[in-house]
Each structure stands twice: as C-alpha cells, then as structure tokens.
Amino acid sequence: MPDLKEQRDSTSSEEGVQSPAELGDADESPHARKSLLAKLDAHLLPMPCILYLLSFLDRSNVANARIEGLVTDVKMTGNQYLTGLTLYFIGYVLFEIPCNIILKKTTPKFWLPTLTIIWGIVATLTGVVQNLAGFFTARFFLGVTESGLFPGVVWYLSMWYRRRERQYRISLFFSAASLAGAFGGVLAWGIAHMKGVGGQNGWRWIFIIEGLATVVIAATAYLFITNWPHTARWLSDDEKSMVHTRLKRDSDATNDERFTWSNVLSTFSDPKCWLYCMAFHTTSLPLYTLSLFLPSIITDLGYKAAEAQLLTVPPYALATILTVITAMVSERHNLRAPYIICSSCVGIIGYIILLANRDLKHHPGVSYVGTFFAAAGIYPATGLSLSWPAANVSGQTKRAVSNAMQISVGNLGAVLGTQLYRTNTAPHYVLGHSFAMAYLAANIVVVSTLWVMLKRVNRKRDELEATAERKSVADWTASDFKGDVDIRWRFTY
C-alpha cells in the first residue's frame, strides 16, 4: 500500500481520485514503465480479446440467422424466438459466479480456453437443431458456457495491471463486442450465400462455421495465456520484480490470498458492489437489445436481408472506435462517472431519434442515423461501467465474485430486454426503444449516486487518516491490509 501522506495528496487532485498506482511512478523511469506495459499488452491482451470477439459473435449471430430463415425452419411461432434469447441469459446469469469461483480455484490458462472450446461446440451444434426444443436447449447451454469468460478475464487482468491501468485494458477487451457486431454482419452476409450447400439453409452455416472457428482458435489459446507474472517465461527476472513491486504498492494482486467463503459473502454485503451491478444492469438492456435486434430493426426500415447484414457494420465500427477513445481519455483523467454519464446521454439521443421518426417508409435514413447515436453511447458507457469494480474492489476473492456478480445482475436487464422487441411492435418498436432509453436515463442516476458515494467515502477516510497513526509503506504487511474497507484505500470515481 502507498504511503498515507502521498495517497492523501493524490486524492485531492482536481481531476478526480488518483490511483495509488501513481505513487510508484517515482521509482521507475517512464521508458521502463512504457516498455513493460507494451510487453504486457502484447502478451496478455490479444488472445482474451479474440476469445471475447468469438463469444459475442457466437451469442449475437442468432440475430443474423433470424433474417436468414431460422424462425421458419425451426417452426417458431409468436414470441418463441424471444424465449430462446431469454434462455441464453438465464443460463448466463446463473453460472457466472460459480465460473469465477472455479477460475480462482484453478488457473486462467486452463479455465478460459476450456470454456471457449465447450461453448464453441455448443454454438456449432446450434446449426444442426431441427426443432424448437433443440434451439432452446442450445441457447441455454451457450449461456452457461459463455458466462465465465468476461468476468474471468476482468479478474485475470487485475492480477497483472495496476488499478489505474486496468480501465483502458478492460474497455479495449470489451470493444471486441462491438467489433464482433461489425465483423459478424460481414461474415453473415458472406456465409448466407452458402444457402443450398449440403442441402442446408444459410443460417445453419452461420452457426456451424463460426462455431468451428471458435473451437479451433480456443485450442491454440492454451499456448498464449499465461497464468501469473511470476510464471511468465517471456518476462526477465528484472521485469518480474518490477511487476511485483508496482502491484504490491498499488493493490492486493501480489498477496497470497486463500479462498474463503467469508470473502465471498463480503461482496454481497457491500452496497457499492450492488451499485456497480446496477451501473451495468442499466446499460445491458440497451446493449443486448441493440446487438440482438439491430438486423431486424434495419430490415424493418425497408432493406433486404443481405443489405441489412452489411448496414449493421458502420454503427458497430463507430462504437468500437469511440469505446477505445473514451477509455483512453477517461484513463488519462482517471475519471469514470462523467464519461459514462455523457455516453449514456448520447445513447438517449439515439433512441429519441428512433422514437421520433414515424415515417419509416419515406425517411428510413433518419432511424438509421439513430442507430449510430445509440451504438456510440451504449458501448463506451458499458465498457467503463464494467471496468469499475476491477479498479475499486480489493480482496482477490471479493473482486472475482464482484466482477461475476456485476455481470450476473447486469444481465438480468438483458433477460427483460429479450422480451421487448416483439414482432407485433414492428417496425417502430416503441416498447423496446422506450425501455432502452429509460434504462440509459436510469444509468445516469445510478452512476451519479455512485460518484457521490465514492467521493464521500474518500473524503471521510482522509479525515480519519488525519487523526490516525501514520504508517509508511515499509511498515505494513499483507496481513495488516483489510482490503477496500481499509482507511488507506481510495476509490476511483
């Protein structure tokens, strides 16, 4: 932990609460720090980003398959397609926390690629389902097997990077979701032309080819994922020591923390953890409704299926760029809340445009512009919300459970969202768009509340430290540190 005086001084920054990570900067040259971070990024980020791109591709390609004949071939009626989407998120929500507990008990090198191979098999088998029961079963187990990746990678990165450095990396990792949307549209357009190959409709090949690609790529992931800094063969002894020192001064990442159920339960009793959950919950509904229904929304503007597949690409491309840029600026100023709020406002503008256009036949371009604003606001806000607990929750087990809990509670919004874009509400989708807009407005309220709460806690701890016996860095030990309830811990907001 950092020296108390230095930490108090850092929290008084006008730019926001400064991470204790900065306190170790004086002991390392800018060149050495940049060189180390570049090396960590090159070895740690590519494979998790690829796996998450595959994850989002395999969960959202059902939207592309829908307009290529899935509903007709599986003989769906009414809102049965929506039920299939809901089942995915039920499986996802139920198994996220158990998956992160298993990760804590095993290793990232084993667990993350193994999960990916299993869901790749499930995704492939979705392409051969013959009836509604098969589709429902495949969607549920796809949710179960995909549930452990995102919270697992967020926790994994927190064991390598300092608190302030995590936000950009997690947002970059999350940007693979919007990239998958853009990539998926092009892929679906191309694969759909395989209609008739092997006597199968094009939508089946979308699932089969993308699922098999996931299995093959995941099999190579065992070679590229490294468990912990001290086991990294690509780090020199000096670099390992530097990683250990900078993490020790910043967080609990170097502690040899044993798994206990009391640490698990402490997550559920912390109101801040529940607010992190709600910050994602209020973006997950618009996030997943957009990704799962955008092809249908564009098709209902009067475009053909093939055109709609390609027209989904530009909004997602814009979202990817803005997610990365917003994360970089947010990290530079060490602020999250203001950027989440501004992004949510952009998303709200998008839904206002979608709801205001009542003449889709003559002005389809107006609604299409609205999808750009929606995507441009939703994805940056979601990425920043998801990176928050990785920087603020201390205690390795508590952080692992908090990350999983945030995704679980958050995805309950997606469970609701999958039932909103009903066929009888097309083409205006007033119900779905209204809910998405209201959720983004609620996100502004939640994030503002969390902003005020974290700032107040930091100020109170400053006052408590002023009257407490001062300890230097050399005086404290891991057993002395109490996690994020310790008065020496400062939250980022």
Side-chain angles (χ1 to χ4, degrees), residues 92-147:
Y92 203 106
V93 166
L94 291 176
F95 284 86
E96 278 177 297
I97 292 178
C99 279
N100 250 27
I101 290 175
I102 293 173
L103 172 62
K104 184 71 172 70
K105 286 179 168 288
T106 57
T107 64
K109 189 181 186 70
F110 163 76
W111 187 237
L112 298 179
T114 301
L115 272 179
T116 308
I117 288 175
I118 297 172
W119 96 55
I121 294 172
V122 176
T124 304
L125 293 177
T126 306
V128 299
V129 298
Q130 301 299 320
N131 51 47
L132 190 62
F135 177 70
F136 283 171
T137 302
R139 291 301 295 180
F140 176 78
F141 282 102
L142 184 66
V144 170
T145 50
E146 285 194 0
S147 64

Side-chain angles (χ1 to χ4, degrees), residues 351-367:
Y351 284 105
I352 290 174
I353 293 173
L354 286 166
L355 288 167
N357 184 18
R358 307 306 299 169
D359 189 2
L360 300 182
K361 183 178 179 180
H362 294 97
H363 304 290
V366 173
S367 290

Side-chain angles (χ1 to χ4, degrees), residues 62 76 79-89 132 135-136 138-140 418-419:
V62 67
M76 297 184 196
N79 295 307
Q80 290 175 334
Y81 170 77
L82 304 184
T83 302
L85 301 185
T86 303
L87 286 171
Y88 168 88
F89 287 105
L132 190 62
F135 177 70
F136 283 171
R139 291 301 295 180
F140 176 78
T418 54
Q419 293 295 320

